[in-house]
Amino acid sequence: MRVELTRSGGLAALQQTIAADTEELPEQEARQLENLVEQADIETLAQRSPLRGRGADRFQYDLVVSHGGARREVTASEDVASSELRALVDWLLHHAAGR
């Protein structure tokens, strides 16, 4: 499974793109990523995407999850992202900072 996150917007209007692939991660981290994707229910979110909120200076999250030949894309503003989606985003951002 490959997960790519692009976070854009915010006060400085910066853009950051990071990716994680379970084939390249240690086993424990790969399982964590898979669990977070499952908990975020990417399949359902992709059907409802884009999830737009209101207000300026918010982050926007663009996620692409590729697995088993399927590709799911989700766009969500930070103010409407579920706690499960935010947990996935936080994990990815932390993962990127640690590498």
Side-chain angles (χ1 to χ4, degrees), residues 8-93:
S8 57
L11 290 173
L14 299 175
Q15 182 170 323
Q16 177 183 18
T17 300
I18 54 178
D21 192 320
T22 56
E23 296 293 321
E24 299 171 1
L25 294 170
E27 186 175 340
Q28 182 178 357
E29 290 182 28
R31 299 306 150 247
Q32 288 174 340
L33 179 56
E34 290 171 349
N35 288 335
L36 288 166
V37 168
E38 183 178 323
Q39 291 169 6
D41 195 8
I42 296 299
E43 180 78 30
T44 299
L45 292 178
Q47 293 171 11
R48 296 177 34 221
S49 183
L51 308 169
R52 302 268 189 229
R54 297 179 186 250
D57 300 327
R58 304 252 190 250
F59 283 116
Q60 175 175 304
Y61 306 122
D62 294 297
L63 276 159
V64 178
V65 178
S66 303
H67 183 63
R71 179 182 165 105
R72 303 288 181 256
E73 297 182 30
V74 174
T75 297
S77 298
E78 72 175 325
D79 58 327
V80 296
S82 67
S83 59
E84 295 84 4
L85 181 59
R86 284 193 306 271
L88 173 59
V89 167
D90 289 345
W91 188 94
L92 290 163
L93 292 171

